[in-house]
Amino acid sequence: MTGSSPVSPGAPRAPERPRETAAAPDPRRWWALAVIATAQLTVLLDGTIVNIALPSAQRDLGMSDGHRQWVITAYTLALGGLLLLGGRVVDIFGRKRAFVTGLLGFAAASALGGAATAPGVLFTARACQGAFAALLTPSALSLLITTFTEPKERGRAFGVYGSISGIGSAAGLIAGGLLTEYLNWRWCMYVNVPIALGAVAAALWILPAGARGTALRLDVPGAVLGCGGLTAVAYGFSEAEPRGWHSRPVLGALALGAVLLVLFVFRQTRARLPLLPLGIVRDRRRAGALLVTGLGQIGMFGLLLFMTYYLQGVLGYSAVAAGVAFLPLTAAMTIGVTQIAARLAPHTAPRRVIVPGLLSAALGMLLLTRIGTDSAYVSHVLPAMVLFGLGLGSAGMTAMVAATSGVLPRDSGAASAMVTTSQQIGGSLGTAVLNTVAASAAARHLAHSSRTDALARAESTVHGFTVALWGVVGLLLLTAAAAALLIDGPAPQRAERRDAVD
């Protein structure tokens, strides 16, 4: 099975593929890449800034420890729950129109978050950011896929895209620390506004208008079932920490989510224009790549969450110092994307890049399980971040290319949405589960301690982190095994040549 397998039963492949091959490349495609990457930068910049600013925002708005997670969860719930709908909106109403709308909405939601005077307002703004990001992200990735169709150029474009994204993440860490420490955490939200508006102006000038995909209506019942199911499951996991795994709200939300998702799959087999053409995930190679993108993000979100509080709460780093401490992680991920994945992906079988990358990430997490209350950053944290970043950067980008290869243009929005859906749902559920595991382990450790002073509490906190990180190690190893079994097939360039011969 190759990445060029049909993704929709009965799809008329023969008439479409020659047109794609014969079409002349857009002479402005590299300028378009800059606009697309800048738009994605707004999403990533916001994520890393918020992680650094979270302790300050919590103090300023009076959030409880149980509710502070909603600054992150409200965003990931909305983004993960609405991505399938957003991807299909892109296919129906046009990539450029969806792209510009997503940018404008994201800017407005960021302004609302910066002006928040109560936790509920900030949570609402974060949910709105996630909703518009659910439109922006698949439209950006869909534009990238349809603009770069030749395997070598596509690999290079994905590398540049990932590199700029990595730079944005690094800039967010530094900017978040500087803005939080010298101005106010609110500027961590306001900074998105000029970036988004500048990207809108460039998009209107550079991106081609494009054509509407179809005049058919959206699958509204499918949207309700899919978004509702994902949201219910994510809510259940996020509430497990404050309420307990056996509480009725948690069990009820998980059960409701499971039922809605089963109904969603059934609905997709009957809808005339499904949100998720099931052929996209029937492809074994694509399903394995989506599994890697989702489970890999659990490790990423866990690392950011735990290390933010470890550096600032246990080691006593300032916001700026914590941001700087994360730079090796983003640098390593950028190298993994641009120097490993981008160079190897076009002519190397995907699993030969993905499996070693996941093993490297697992080794990095294994090193982090050795941290203590007085561990040195250079000897304990830095090597772990570098190994994890190199591994996840190379594996994640290669999996993204594998997951979006061989998709018909009319389904590119839905396929793009599935990539980011797997990332956000994996990150959202992973953050909730890992936070619950860490908090429970810390509470048990403190209960069995003979001391209750600050040092004992710090030791219990670190113990909780390490228990959760051991879980991530095991998860990454299982993901590597699954990738070795599922992600078969040749390199993209070889697959493209064979498909052209056929």
Side-chain angles (χ1 to χ4, degrees):
M1 184 175 294
T2 70
S4 57
S5 300
V7 298
S8 182
R13 286 183 51 193
E16 292 193 30
R17 292 302 296 256
R19 284 200 300 268
E20 288 183 44
T21 304
D26 187 339
R28 295 186 299 175
R29 61 192 182 279
W30 296 107
W31 286 107
L33 173 61
V35 176
I36 294 166
T38 300
Q40 188 67 3
L41 180 146
T42 65
V43 178
L44 294 168
L45 187 72
D46 181 77
T48 51
I49 279 182
V50 167
N51 271 285
I52 295 296
L54 184 54
S56 296
Q58 180 182 358
R59 290 192 299 269
D60 188 25
L61 298 181
M63 297 180 211
S64 67
D65 288 345
H67 288 156
R68 68 187 179 191
Q69 64 177 322
W70 283 103
V71 175
I72 297 174
T73 305
Y75 179 84
T76 54
L77 278 176
L79 177 54
L82 294 173
L83 265 171
L84 290 177
L85 179 61
R88 196 41 98 187
V89 168
V90 171
D91 288 332
I92 293 176
F93 296 105
R95 302 179 188 98
K96 182 175 180 178
R97 185 179 293 114
F99 184 76
V100 171
T101 302
L103 279 170
L104 291 173
F106 196 89
S110 298
L112 175 64
T117 57
V121 178
L122 181 58
F123 300 156
T124 300
R126 291 286 288 162
C128 290
Q129 281 184 318
F132 283 105
L135 187 61
L136 174 61
T137 301
S139 62
L141 191 53
S142 181
L143 283 166
L144 190 65
I145 294 169
T146 54
T147 301
F148 297 92
T149 56
E150 195 273 324
K152 186 174 182 180
E153 276 202 350
R154 177 177 286 186
R156 190 179 305 151
F158 269 102
V160 173
Y161 180 79
S163 175
I164 293 177
S165 298
I167 293 171
S169 298
L173 293 167
I174 298 298
L178 292 171
L179 293 173
T180 299
E181 191 160 330
Y182 296 109
L183 291 175
N184 190 287
W185 67 267
R186 298 177 185 280
W187 287 96
C188 295
M189 301 289 285
Y190 288 141
V191 73
N192 295 315
V193 177
I195 297 176
L197 294 180
V200 167
L204 293 174
W205 177 49
I206 294 174
L207 296 181
R212 287 179 122 177
T214 177
L216 295 178
R217 294 182 178 179
L218 286 170
D219 177 22
V220 176
V224 173
L225 292 172
C227 298
L230 291 172
T231 301
V233 171
Y235 176 82
F237 278 113
S238 67
E239 287 296 293
E241 191 274 328
R243 296 178 182 268
W245 286 102
H246 300 292
S247 68
R248 289 185 179 181
V250 170
L251 295 177
L254 294 176
L256 175 63
V259 170
L260 291 176
L261 290 175
V262 170
L263 293 175
F264 168 75
V265 173
F266 179 77
R267 169 68 186 178
Q268 299 312 288
T269 65
R270 299 290 189 271
R272 291 182 59 190
L273 184 65
L275 289 174
L276 173 62
L278 294 180
I280 290 178
V281 292
R282 286 196 189 110
D283 185 291
R284 175 179 172 181
R285 176 177 177 173
R286 187 169 294 112
L290 291 171
L291 185 69
V292 170
T293 60
L295 297 183
Q297 284 300 104
I298 295 178
M300 186 66 191
F301 274 58
L303 178 66
L304 288 174
L305 177 66
F306 295 147
M307 287 299 100
T308 295
Y309 278 92
Y310 176 72
L311 292 172
Q312 295 187 55
V314 177
L315 298 187
Y317 281 34
S318 67
V320 173
V324 172
F326 276 111
L327 286 182
L329 172 65
T330 58
M333 291 193 71
T334 301
I335 293 172
V337 169
T338 60
Q339 303 304 313
I340 299 177
R343 292 176 182 270
L344 296 180
H347 49 78
T348 305
R351 65 181 169 190
R352 294 187 178 179
V353 181
I354 292 172
V355 173
L358 291 173
L359 294 178
S360 174
L363 178 58
M365 280 293 185
L366 182 63
L367 293 179
L368 277 182
T369 62
R370 303 174 59 193
I371 59 174
T373 56
D374 57 352
S375 296
Y377 172 82
V378 173
S379 60
H380 288 74
V381 180
L382 178 60
M385 284 188 173
V386 171
L387 282 172
F388 182 86
L390 287 173
L392 193 63
S394 58
M397 184 54 64
T398 305
M400 184 180 293
V401 173
T404 54
S405 297
V407 179
L408 294 175
R410 67 166 177 261
D411 290 329
S412 62
S416 304
M418 275 304 300
V419 172
T420 314
T421 293
S422 64
Q423 292 176 326
Q424 293 300 320
I425 293 301
S428 179
L429 300 184
T431 299
V433 173
L434 292 175
N435 191 51
T436 299
V437 170
S440 301
R444 288 195 301 269
H445 186 272
L446 186 61
H448 288 86
S449 176
S450 59
R451 299 177 293 113
T452 58
D453 57 7
L455 179 58
R457 290 194 296 272
E459 290 173 346
S460 297
T461 298
V462 172
H463 173 75
F465 291 168
T466 57
V467 169
L469 292 174
W470 271 110
V472 175
V473 172
L475 183 65
L476 290 172
L477 292 176
L478 290 175
T479 305
L485 293 174
L486 294 175
I487 306 178
D488 54 5
Q493 284 187 351
R494 253 180 289 164
E496 186 75 12
R497 287 196 296 268
R498 188 170 69 183
D499 192 62
V501 172
D502 293 341

